Every structure is written in C-alpha cells, then in structure tokens.
C-alpha cells in the first residue's frame, strides 16, 4: 500500500502508544495532521499557539507517563515552541517535537522562500536533547525511531525532528514493521551495588533523596522504605512514595527543621536528582556527609555536591538490585521514624504559619481534589510557598509544574494534563494553581480548553499584579515597585465570553462551597481568589530562599 510519509509518521506515533498530540495546523505539517485525522486513533488538540502546544505535550507526557507529541509549522511556529521546549529540557520530559521545513530544492539557499527560518535546525538543537532533519522519504522512519529512542532514554528529554514538506507528502510503501526502538537502559555494575549495599547496611538512619529520574522506581523504593529508609524528594520527585506515607518528608526538603534532621542521618542516597539550586539553598543546604548517588547521567557524578560513591545506572534497576542486597540486613534506629515525623510536622507548621489566612485554602483545595488527581502549577507565590509541597500527592504522576521557573505555562499544561487524562481514561481530576500574571500569558488557550472540553479547575490567585516581583522590589530595590501592576481582565465577563464556569471567592470560608458548585460543571472552570479582598500572606515571599539571611531573595 502506498502512503505519504505523513501517514507513516502518524502510524508510527500510534505504535509508540501516543493517544493525544498537540499543535497548530499549517501547510507545512498538513500531510501529518491529515493522516492523524484520517486514521482516527490519536486525538489531536488544536492549540491556539505553538507555545501552548509544546507545554500541553510536555504536561501530557509527565502526567500520563507516555511520549508527548507536539506538531508545529516551520519558522515562527517552531520558534514559538521554544519556551516550552526549554521547560521540557529542564524537566527531562520525553517529548517529540515534529516541525515542518520548506521544500528540499529551496532549503538552505537564502532564496527568501516563505516560511524559511534560517538555520532552524540549530535553533531546535539549542532547545532539544537532540534534533534531526529528515533527509529522504526512505530514511524518515529510521530518523523517527532514533528520535523517540533518544527522548525515552534516561536522562529523558525533548527531541525535535524537522521534515521538509515535499518529503512529508512523498508516497512510499508502508513498511511491514514500524515499531519504536526500545530505549537504552543502563544496568548497574554488580560490584558498584555491592559497595553501595556495604555502606548502607551499616547506616542506622538512612534517607533517600528522590528526584524526577526516580519516578519509575516506585516499586524498588517501596522495598527500601519497608526496610526503614526515610524519604525526601525534590519537587520533581514528589509522590514516588505517597506524600501521606509516614516515612516521607514529601518535598519539605530545605526547611530548617528538615536540615537539622539531615544532620542526624548517617547516609543519604540521592537518586535521579539534579539537587537544583533553588531546592538546596543554592547548593549550601547541609546534606549528610555520607552522600551516595545513583543517576543515569554519568556527568552527574560530583555535580552540585561531592558524593562518596556514584553509580551510573537506571534508577529502578539499581534500587532493585540494592534492595536485593540489603534484604534482612538493615538495623535502623528505632527512633528514626518518629524523628522524621517530628521534622516534617515542624516544617509543615512553619509553612502554614507563614501563609496567614491562605492556610485555609490549602485544606479546601485538598478536600476538593480527593485522592486521585493531577496538581498542575504555574510559577506564583502560592506555588513557591505551598503548592510545591502541598497538596499531598498520591503518586509520581500527580504533580506537574514549571521546573525552570518560567511563568505562563500552567494553563497550557492543565489542558495537556486534562486531555491526556481523558485520552488515557485515567479518571483523574485536574487542578491548576496559577497567579493572574502568569495566567494571562496564554489566555488564548482558554478558547482551546473550552473547545476541547478539557476538564480542569483553575484556582486563580488574583492580586492584579506580579506579587513576587513587588516583594523582591521591597526586599532589594528600596520598595521601588515598578512594572508590576497589571491591568487584569474581569474574569466573570471573560468566562461568559469564552464559555466556561467561573466563581469568585472574596472570603476563604466560601471556597469549599464554590469548589463544590464548580465540580458539577464540565470543561474548564475557574475559582478566582480575590486576594485584594482577602489580604496578604503573613510572610512575604521574595524569591527562592538562600543560605544566609543577608542575601535572602537574591536567587529570584
Ligand atoms: C517567562 C517568564 N517571564 C518573566 C518571569 C519573571 N517573573 C517571575 S514571577 C513573575 C510574576 C508572576 O506573577 P503572578 O502570576 O501574578 O504571580 P504572583 O507573583 O502575583 O504570585 C514574573 C514576571 C518569569 N519567571 N518567567
């Protein structure tokens, strides 16, 4: 059977288990989108911009645990996706960005051909783990197989493939087999695991620090926790152990009571974590001296923190092998669990206190979310303070946030999560926490959300300004508050115009009833928190905390 290369690409994506893809249609990707529609197996979500499409695909991948797919046009359109690609590379999301290119005969000749982007491939390389150009119809499948393999091989990341439009439309025989090629998985060396086990078997107060790279290692982690290991996570590692588990500190990873607790631990095994600057007080957080590390990325050895031992391997394989070696050997201090709980409780208390009135909001949103949900967050004060630690996440796929700190991705991420949950029939709710400043960046995607009936609730923290910027200006710029006041839409009217449900809370006591009312609506819905009516947080947040108080906030 003769098919277009576009058709082959659509069939290959189905073979990769892709159930939803995100993008904007254009003459430079129509052979692919036409085939997706014709085949009818993948739900294509028409974003209003490629920036949104990239973040939708990223968030779908993170929450559904699949390959994300974003399809753009050449030139400006591919460029529009770059912000979302930067976030995906920061987060290590397996994402395939497919973009077009002009016809091969005119390519790279500077002929002022419409849609040509000079050196598009270099631009894509800069924001991708790797980028390729399809060179011929015959090699298209191989290029896509290699690209998907790269995206899914740990450390995972976004990849880009540009396909000239004449190649997309070329007719070829549909190959007999067009399965994806399995990702490379690195097994640990037995001697390395033996050494790690020797060190840990002697530990009385062992703690695991889990990052996003350990998301697939939940079962092995559970074995170690059953032996008495405690757990703390990065924001990316949240939920690998349910955050309600008594041995979990959740992502309370840098609060003073927790840092003091680290001082009592005699070993910390860091797994699949960058130990990011904003989660380690710019690498000054005091971690236990016996710092051991497992990472699929060999260049993580000694990065950010010196480590006593490093094992380069897949997290799940390494932790499973380690658990085999430690079975029946751990002699954990009987006080360890209670001390961990005390440190956690003290950290939670301090956080709650700093929130002032908004502590009540945390409980109301948690109650409405239930136990099976996705918790998507934009970069806003409420996320930097509580959203990155509360709600209590049930599992490793529940949390999605902008790891790189860029505002404005949250709305599109919620669309990606909600449509991904629907395509995979996960039955989970999606809740988005966003500031008003970040929310307005991609307002056009609200139209997409309504059209797609993406089922999520936005909790919009509306202070009609860039709150954190004002706090930083107060702390570091003599209170000179400039460029941070925002003209803000009337969201009740906007909701009417675009067609989604909206409620505004002027008192936090109203929140449970308003969320209850919204839960009866389909599609996107918004609970607007009128922060000007409710008042400020007790403690002002002025950027990620750093070690000595004199420079507090400078990392923002
Ligand atoms: C893409 C991007 N542009 C600019 C910034 C700088 N920035 C960080 S937070 C912020 C304000 C966010 O305002 P809002 O969403 O209203 O949340 P609030 O600070 O009021 O809680 C800005 C402009 C950023 N982080 N990312």
């Amino acid at each position: 059977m003769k098919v277009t290369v576009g058709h082959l690409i659509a069939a290959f994506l189905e073979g990769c288990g892709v159930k939803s893809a995100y993008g904007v249609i254009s003459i430079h990707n129509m052979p692919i989108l036409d085939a997706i529609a014709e085949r009818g197996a993948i739900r294509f979500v028409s974003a209003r911009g490629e920036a949104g499409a990239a973040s939708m695909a990223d968030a779908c991948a993170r929450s559904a645990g699949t390959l994300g797919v974003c399809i753009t046009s050449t030139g400006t359109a591919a460029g529009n996706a770059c912000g979302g690609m930067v976030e995906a590379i920061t987060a290590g999301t397996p994402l395939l960005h497919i973009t077009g290119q002009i016809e091969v005969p005119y390519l790279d000749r500077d002929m002022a051909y419409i849609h040509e982007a000079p050196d598009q491939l270099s631009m894509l390389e800069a924001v991708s783990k790797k980028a390729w150009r399809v060179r011929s119809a015959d090699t298209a499948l191989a290029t896509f197989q290699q690209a998907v393999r790269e995206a899914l091989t740990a450390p995972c990341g976004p990849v880009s493939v540009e396909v000239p439009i004449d190649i997309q439309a070329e007719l070829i025989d549909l190959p007999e087999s067009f399965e994806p090629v399995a990702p490379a998985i690195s097994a640990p060396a037995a001697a390395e695991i033996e050494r790690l086990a020797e060190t840990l078997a002697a530990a009385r107060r062992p703690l695991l620090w889990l990052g996003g790279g350990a998301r697939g290692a939940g079962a092995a982690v559970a074995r170690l926790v059953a032996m008495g290991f405690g757990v703390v996570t990065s924001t990316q590692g949240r939920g690998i152990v349910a955050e309600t588990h008594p041995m979990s500190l959740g992502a309370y990873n840098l609060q003073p009571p927790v840092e003091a607790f680290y001082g009592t631990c005699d070993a910390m095994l860091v797994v699949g974590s960058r130990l990011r600057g904003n989660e380690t007080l710019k690498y000054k957080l005091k971690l236990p001296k016996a710092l051991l590390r497992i990472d699929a990325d060999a260049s993580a050895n000694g990065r950010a923190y010196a480590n006593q031992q490093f094992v380069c391997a897949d997290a799940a394989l390494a932790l499973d092998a380690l658990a085999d070696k430690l079975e029946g050997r751990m002699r954990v201090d009987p006080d360890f669990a209670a001390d961990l709980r005390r440190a956690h409780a003290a950290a939670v208390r301090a956080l709650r206190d700093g929130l002032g009135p908004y502590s009540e909001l945390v409980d109301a949103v948690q109650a409405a979310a239930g136990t099976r949900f996705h918790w998507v967050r934009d970069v806003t004060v409420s996320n930097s303070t509580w959203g990155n630690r509360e709600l209590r996440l049930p599992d490793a796929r529940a949390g999605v946030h902008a790891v790189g700190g860029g505002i404005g991705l949250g709305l599109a991420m919620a669309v990606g999560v909600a449509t991904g949950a629907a395509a995979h029939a996960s039955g989970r709710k999606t809740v988005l926490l966003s500031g008003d400043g970040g929310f307005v960046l991609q307002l056009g995607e609200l139209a997409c959300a309504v059209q797609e009936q993406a089922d999520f609730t936005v909790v919009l923290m509306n202070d009609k300004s860039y709150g954190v910027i004002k706090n930083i200006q107060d702390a570091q710029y003599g209170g000179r508050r400039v460029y941070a006041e925002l003209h803000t839409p009337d969201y009740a009217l906007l909701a009417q115009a675009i067609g989604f449900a909206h409620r505004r809370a002027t008192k936090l006591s109203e929140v449970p009833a308003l969320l209850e009312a919204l839960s009866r609506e389909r599609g996107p819905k918004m609970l607007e928190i009128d922060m000007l009516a409710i008042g400020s947080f007790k403690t002002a947040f002025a950027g990620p905390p750093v070690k000595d108080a004199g420079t507090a906030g400078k990392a923002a």
Side-chain angles (χ1 to χ4, degrees):
M1 181 174 74
K2 290 275 186 200
V3 297
T4 62
V5 168
H7 190 106
L8 170 65
I9 294 168
F12 173 67
L13 294 178
E14 289 168 27
C16 294
V18 173
K19 301 249 183 283
S20 57
Y22 305 84
V24 180
I25 193 160
S26 154
I27 52 166
H28 282 111
N29 58 32
M30 283 172 79
I32 304 169
L33 295 193
D34 186 52
I36 286 179
E38 282 290 297
R39 293 178 64 86
I42 292 175
R43 175 180 180 180
F44 182 74
V45 173
S46 289
R48 296 303 184 270
E50 293 80 6
S55 295
M56 289 175 196
D58 176 347
C60 171
R62 291 193 218 179
S63 55
T66 57
L67 177 74
V69 176
C70 164
I71 304 175
T72 68
S73 185
T74 178
T76 305
N80 286 346
C82 286
M85 292 292 285
V86 169
E87 167 58 23
I89 208 164
T90 308
T93 306
L95 171 65
L96 173 62
H97 171 213
I98 305 171
T99 189
Q101 236 323 345
I102 62 168
E103 288 91 330
V104 173
Y106 309 112
L107 194 47
D108 298 331
R109 291 173 186 224
D110 198 17
M111 291 170 73
Y113 197 86
I114 185 158
H115 278 293
E116 179 163 23
D119 212 5
Q120 176 170 279
L121 197 53
S122 297
M123 173 180 80
L124 296 173
E125 276 163 356
V127 296
S128 306
K129 186 178 171 190
K130 258 191 171 165
W132 290 264
R133 173 182 292 173
V134 170
R135 301 285 171 182
S136 70
D138 294 340
T139 56
L141 176 60
T143 303
F144 273 92
Q145 284 172 320
Q146 179 59 23
V148 168
R149 183 171 203 251
E150 187 73 36
L152 291 168
T153 295
C156 299
V159 296
S160 295
V161 180
E162 58 172 21
V163 196
I165 183 63
D166 46 350
I167 296 180
Q168 287 184 38
E170 210 172 313
L171 287 172
I172 53 164
D173 290 315
L174 187 65
E176 296 218 332
S177 156
F178 42 84
E179 295 298 305
V181 178
I185 300 176
S186 48
E192 297 274 350
I193 295 295
E194 190 65 59
R195 248 184 83 210
L196 205 55
E198 284 310 307
T199 309
L200 287 167
R204 296 290 168 261
R205 299 173 67 92
L207 194 63
L208 295 167
W209 172 303
L210 306 175
R215 276 178 165 174
V221 167
R223 291 179 64 194
L224 294 169
V225 171
M227 294 177 201
F229 280 71
V231 172
V232 68
T233 75
S234 71
T235 320
Q236 277 283 77
R238 291 184 63 186
I240 294 171
V241 173
E243 291 187 324
T244 47
H245 193 289
M247 288 310 287
S248 175
L249 289 161
Y252 286 86
N253 52 21
L254 51 60
Q255 290 66 21
V258 173
E259 189 178 30
F261 174 72
Y262 293 158
T264 74
C265 295
D266 52 4
M268 177 183 267
L269 176 58
V270 177
V271 189
S273 175
R274 310 280 310 211
L275 297 171
R276 292 172 197 276
N278 60 327
E279 299 192 46
T280 56
L281 308 174
K282 275 204 200 166
Y283 319 106
K284 296 255 167 50
L285 180 70
K286 262 189 134 338
L287 300 180
K289 257 203 205 63
L291 198 73
L292 316 159
R293 205 155 171 180
I294 296 172
D295 206 294
D297 179 2
S299 61
N301 190 357
R303 192 165 57 198
Y305 278 81
N307 43 253
Q308 211 175 74
Q309 200 193 330
F310 182 86
V311 177
C312 182
D314 174 79
L317 291 185
L319 289 180
D320 232 12
L322 180 66
D324 288 346
K325 292 279 170 213
L326 289 177
E327 208 72 72
R329 288 171 70 188
M330 295 303 296
R331 299 281 174 270
V332 172
D333 175 354
D335 293 335
F336 185 53
D339 292 346
L340 183 146
R341 292 267 29 95
R342 255 193 301 279
H344 184 252
V348 173
R349 245 192 334 270
L351 173 85
R352 290 284 190 145
D353 182 57
L355 297 180
Y358 294 95
S359 186
E360 193 179 341
L361 181 63
V362 182
D363 298 323
V365 178
Q366 176 90 64
T371 50
R372 298 197 67 240
F373 60 94
H374 293 294
W375 180 225
V376 185
R377 293 100 62 203
D378 208 293
V379 175
T380 177
V381 167
S382 286
N383 186 54
S384 302
T385 51
W386 63 272
N388 272 340
R389 291 161 195 96
E390 305 284 346
L391 317 180
R392 301 283 158 96
L393 300 186
D395 56 54
R397 297 282 161 212
V400 176
H401 77 297
V403 188
I407 64 170
L409 311 183
L411 171 56
M413 283 178 157
V415 174
V417 169
T419 52
H424 289 269
S426 77
R428 293 194 191 213
K429 285 185 191 171
T430 302
V431 185
L432 164 66
L433 178 69
S434 180
D436 56 307
F439 194 74
V440 89
L441 259 83
Q442 295 196 23
L443 226 41
E445 300 307 350
L446 271 174
C448 166
V450 172
Q451 183 170 344
E452 295 289 334
Q453 283 296 284
D455 205 18
F456 61 88
T457 304
V458 189
V459 177
L460 185 77
M461 305 301 296
N462 193 352
D463 62 355
K464 299 195 171 179
S465 65
Y466 292 147
V468 73
I469 299 289
K470 293 203 287 196
N471 291 347
I472 294 167
Q473 288 164 336
D474 289 349
Q476 297 173 40
Y477 293 88
R480 293 183 297 282
R481 292 178 162 195
V482 292
Y483 315 130
E485 292 297 334
L486 302 175
H487 170 73
T488 304
D490 180 326
Y491 278 102
L493 291 179
L494 189 74
Q496 246 182 6
I498 301 184
F500 61 91
H502 166 272
R503 299 282 189 284
R504 179 183 295 131
T506 51
K507 293 200 258 341
L508 289 171
S509 56
E510 301 166 346
V511 168
L514 295 178
L515 283 173
E516 164 64 24
L518 285 171
S519 72
R520 289 191 286 273
E521 309 280 349
R522 295 290 100 220
K525 43 228 161 221
M526 176 183 288
L527 175 65
E528 182 183 353
I529 305 293
D530 184 341
M531 297 180 73
L532 299 182
I534 291 163
S536 35
F537 297 96
K538 185 169 157 190
T539 307
F541 177 82
V546 289
K547 190 76 184 176
D548 67 87
T551 56
K554 282 208 173 130

